[in-house]
Amino acid sequence: MFTRWLLALAARVCLIVVGLCCCLSLFYLLACKPVSQSSKQTLLWSGEATSKEGYMALLQEREDSHRHYINSLTKQIVQLKEALEERTQQLQESLAKAKTKGILPQGLESLHKTPTQSDLKEFFRSQLNQAEVNSGVKLTSEYAVIPFDTLTLHRLYQLEMGLTRHPEERPVRKDHRDELIGTVETALHVLNGPQQHTDNTRRKQTFSPSDFIEGLTRTERDRGTIYDLMFKGDSPQDFTQLVLFRPFGPVMRVKSESVDTRKMLINIIVPLSKRLDTFKQFISNFREVCIQQDARVHLTIVYFGRDQIDQVKVVLDQTTRETHFRGFTLIQLNEEFSRGRGLEVGARAWRRSQNVLLFFCDVDIHFTADFLTSCRLNAEPGKKVYYPVLFSQYNPSIIYSNQTQLPSVQQQLVIRKETGFWRDFGFGMTCQYRSDFINIGGFDRSIKGWGLEDVHLYRKYLHSKLMVIRCPSRGLFHLWHEKKCGDELPPDKYKMCMQTKAMSEASHGQLGELFFKRELEAHLNSKKRVL
């Protein structure tokens, strides 16, 4: 018995000694292993630095990268938890309604148990299967195609640009840059993770940001965002492609409330200097929309100078006599015209206790009753300001050059690419409550003449906690008029004025017809001679 116990003890001691020898041998091999070429390249990645400062800079860069990646993961975890909680609440509400009605809708049978992480994964997998990721879907026409944006580490190429964006976005906007960095870091984490050797056995070195070539991304609003990323391989002809998908959750109700606009008075403020004919046209639109249809408005005219002021008073007096509308305020300033100064004076001139809704307007603007409704619904004191994108008309003499007589103004208010464009570079027409305008500090009073004062105010709101509602308005039009850029303007404002003037004449195709008019006429005459 003792002999058997002694043999077992000896065997265990031998096994322990052998294990210790193996561990010591492994540690020796790791400690004495020479630095590989790929490791050297990694150490020299940042500026080929071999000094102590270079190594410290490289370590700091790696630390910052990992910290940013950890923050990105933490943010995604929080978002996923919130999405899971919202999804759970929505499903439980649906189940409660079904139980109340005595029925259980299809797909809710599993709600007797609390949703788990596997339920969330299953939902995300269903979103992926519905999106156009692994296979294409049948589209009704070429207009149904959702275009991709192309991205690199430092640039973003967009197809839908409008008039203010460039084909190449550089530097990339901060929100786009944060999204790009987070996506690339996630891709690097996947490629350098435990599955790296399983998915790509030929890749021997670690992927880095410099290996990223370019990517494609697009968002399907009801499913999610797709990222198709391309990385360098071991050879110039070898690449690694990684597809990521950020799923969206189902539509959820945020709030439902009734809005009573019957007592929401709008104070329309118009800065003016001369331009009597345009003012008469504006008053005609004001009488039809504001007096006859709406009747919940006040008009404040801030007039600069004395020239034609008497004619303006005559127009207002005539309107009062004919319509019995007395909601006018005329303020005269013996100063050089300044749009920002006029709007500032008009906003601060309001003396009633009511926190009135302000609509900053120009005399060459045509608006509808629907726009006034949008103005009331999209502005809220202390919460929201409304910055509509108006539709700017092209030169009617060019648009309707094939007609013997120009259509009426009402007939010209058509939203088509041949008749005008969305003025997405303009921020002058806006609806905001007087309290918000006063609290934000109003306009920059040092700005004189034309331009920039509205941009400064817009940026103030963007930097505040108020929500800026920016969208095209189908009831707000800028009527065409010949634009004159004064020689007294400084170079930057003069350049802006000339760019606006060039954009406002006609569409690209119409300007092309004017430019190639001789060639077109020559071709037409040659065809007539042949016939």
Side-chain angles (χ1 to χ4, degrees):
M1 185 72 176
F2 176 78
T3 305
R4 184 179 301 173
W5 176 84
L6 186 63
L7 290 175
L9 179 63
R12 292 179 180 177
V13 171
C14 291
L15 290 174
I16 293 174
V17 171
V18 172
L20 290 174
C21 292
C22 293
C23 292
L24 291 174
S25 301
L26 180 61
F27 289 150
Y28 176 78
L29 291 175
L30 292 175
C32 299
K33 181 181 178 181
V35 179
S36 63
Q37 185 67 22
S38 62
S39 301
K40 291 181 180 179
Q41 292 177 357
T42 304
L43 291 174
L44 298 179
W45 182 63
S46 179
E48 300 292 334
T50 56
S51 62
K52 181 179 179 180
E53 293 78 5
Y55 286 113
M56 292 300 295
L58 181 61
L59 289 175
Q60 183 65 35
E61 182 180 353
R62 292 294 176 85
E63 183 180 354
D64 294 340
S65 176
H66 287 297
R67 186 183 299 109
H68 188 88
Y69 179 66
I70 292 173
N71 293 336
S72 177
L73 286 180
T74 304
K75 186 184 300 184
Q76 293 182 33
I77 291 173
V78 173
Q79 293 175 350
L80 287 175
K81 287 182 177 179
E82 292 177 352
L84 179 59
E85 293 175 356
E86 294 175 355
R87 176 65 172 170
T88 302
Q89 181 181 358
Q90 183 187 26
L91 294 178
Q92 289 176 347
E93 291 177 356
S94 300
L95 179 60
K97 292 180 180 179
K99 289 182 177 179
T100 302
K101 296 179 179 180
I103 59 173
L104 191 63
Q106 186 178 1
L108 296 180
E109 295 84 355
S110 62
L111 288 179
H112 294 290
K113 62 178 182 179
T114 303
T116 61
Q117 186 176 3
S118 60
D119 298 327
L120 183 62
K121 289 183 178 179
E122 182 180 354
F123 167 72
F124 286 161
R125 179 62 60 182
S126 66
Q127 291 287 91
L128 175 61
N129 293 334
Q130 295 177 29
E132 192 176 1
V133 179
N134 297 319
S135 60
V137 297
K138 294 182 179 180
L139 301 176
T140 56
S141 68
E142 67 274 17
Y143 302 106
V145 176
I146 303 175
F148 281 89
D149 291 339
T150 303
L151 55 92
T152 65
L153 282 179
H154 306 290
R155 292 177 174 85
L156 180 66
Y157 303 87
Q158 305 175 103
L159 185 60
E160 298 181 0
M161 299 174 297
L163 289 175
T164 58
R165 305 186 188 97
H166 298 282
E168 177 190 67
E169 186 176 301
R170 179 190 181 193
V172 179
R173 214 171 62 192
K174 185 181 184 303
D175 55 340
H176 291 163
R177 184 173 67 251
D178 293 343
E179 178 187 3
L180 169 62
I181 292 176
T183 303
V184 173
E185 286 182 346
T186 301
L188 293 175
H189 177 72
V190 172
L191 294 176
N192 295 325
Q195 300 297 324
Q196 174 190 4
H197 299 290
T198 302
D199 297 338
N200 190 356
T201 56
R202 295 178 297 170
R203 185 77 181 187
K204 302 301 181 182
Q205 65 183 30
T206 303
F207 286 90
S208 68
S210 60
D211 293 320
F212 177 61
I213 302 174
E214 72 171 17
L216 302 177
T217 179
R218 75 175 180 187
T219 298
E220 298 181 33
R221 296 181 180 179
D222 57 340
R223 295 180 177 90
T225 303
I226 305 167
Y227 302 94
D228 191 344
L229 309 178
M230 195 70 65
F231 292 83
K232 296 178 183 177
D234 292 324
S235 66
Q237 291 78 32
D238 187 20
F239 303 93
T240 297
Q241 184 180 18
L242 180 65
V243 178
L244 302 177
F245 180 69
R246 189 195 304 274
F248 290 161
V251 177
M252 297 189 64
R253 184 183 68 184
V254 178
K255 67 176 181 178
S256 177
E257 61 183 5
S258 60
V259 181
D260 186 2
T261 64
R262 286 176 294 181
K263 296 183 180 180
M264 293 184 181
L265 182 69
I266 299 179
N267 184 14
I268 304 176
I269 303 177
V270 180
L272 183 63
S273 179
K274 301 179 183 179
R275 304 186 66 181
L276 182 61
D277 292 337
T278 307
F279 179 69
K280 292 180 180 179
Q281 188 177 32
F282 175 84
I283 289 296
S284 176
N285 175 226
F286 181 86
R287 292 176 60 166
E288 178 183 355
V289 174
C290 299
I291 299 178
Q292 299 177 9
Q293 300 181 37
D294 193 280
R296 293 164 292 164
V297 297
H298 185 92
L299 178 61
T300 300
I301 304 294
V302 182
Y303 196 88
F304 289 83
R306 298 181 179 179
D307 190 14
Q308 298 184 355
I309 182 66
D310 294 334
Q311 291 91 322
V312 171
K313 292 180 180 179
V314 170
V315 173
L316 295 179
D317 291 340
Q318 181 183 0
T319 303
T320 301
R321 289 195 309 269
E322 295 177 357
T323 63
H324 304 289
F325 180 82
R326 300 183 181 277
F328 294 115
T329 298
L330 177 61
I331 303 174
Q332 182 183 4
L333 299 178
N334 294 321
E335 304 174 8
E336 180 185 354
F337 177 81
S338 172
R339 184 179 185 275
R341 166 71 172 159
L343 296 174
E344 182 91 19
V345 170
R348 295 183 182 274
W350 185 260
R351 292 292 179 259
R352 304 183 193 177
S353 59
Q354 180 182 4
N355 183 22
V356 70
L357 176 58
L358 306 176
F359 171 34
F360 293 156
C361 187
D362 289 340
V363 72
D364 52 11
I365 297 299
H366 184 100
F367 54 87
T368 65
D370 290 335
F371 168 76
L372 297 179
T373 300
S374 299
C375 183
R376 294 184 175 98
L377 295 178
N378 291 318
E380 186 175 356
K383 294 185 178 180
K384 297 187 297 183
V385 293
Y386 182 39
Y387 271 85
V389 180
L390 55 82
F391 192 77
S392 188
Q393 281 187 332
Y394 288 136
N395 189 342
S397 62
I398 298 178
I399 300 174
Y400 306 103
S401 59
N402 59 342
Q403 300 184 18
T404 57
Q405 186 177 0
L406 291 179
S408 64
V409 174
Q410 291 293 337
Q411 293 175 330
Q412 295 179 25
L413 302 180
V414 181
I415 299 178
R416 295 200 308 264
K417 68 176 182 179
E418 297 85 5
T419 60
F421 62 97
W422 291 115
R423 203 181 187 92
D424 59 348
F425 55 85
F427 307 95
M429 307 319 117
T430 171
C431 295
Q432 56 199 275
Y433 276 86
R434 184 176 182 273
S435 58
D436 295 328
F437 178 76
I438 299 299
N439 293 334
I440 205 72
F443 286 102
D444 186 349
R445 303 179 185 180
S446 62
I447 298 177
K448 304 294 183 182
W450 182 89
L452 292 184
E453 79 286 332
D454 50 356
V455 179
H456 287 202
L457 180 64
Y458 181 68
R459 289 172 180 169
K460 283 185 180 181
Y461 281 118
L462 293 179
H463 297 158
S464 73
K465 294 183 179 180
L466 275 71
M467 182 185 302
V468 177
I469 307 299
R470 178 75 166 162
C471 60
S473 173
R474 57 187 176 85
L476 194 62
F477 296 86
H478 177 269
L479 302 179
W480 183 90
H481 60 86
E482 185 178 359
K483 180 172 288 294
K484 297 180 180 179
C485 301
D487 294 335
E488 70 278 2
L489 293 175
D492 56 341
K493 292 186 179 181
Y494 188 84
K495 183 179 179 180
M496 290 175 57
C497 182
M498 292 300 293
Q499 289 176 343
T500 305
K501 182 177 181 180
M503 292 177 182
S504 303
E505 286 298 313
S507 66
H508 186 240
Q510 291 165 332
L511 290 177
E513 291 184 8
L514 293 176
F515 187 81
F516 296 108
K517 184 176 180 179
R518 293 184 178 179
E519 287 85 344
L520 292 173
E521 291 179 350
H523 178 75
L524 180 61
N525 293 332
S526 64
K527 293 297 182 181
K528 289 181 178 179
R529 287 195 296 268
V530 171
L531 296 177

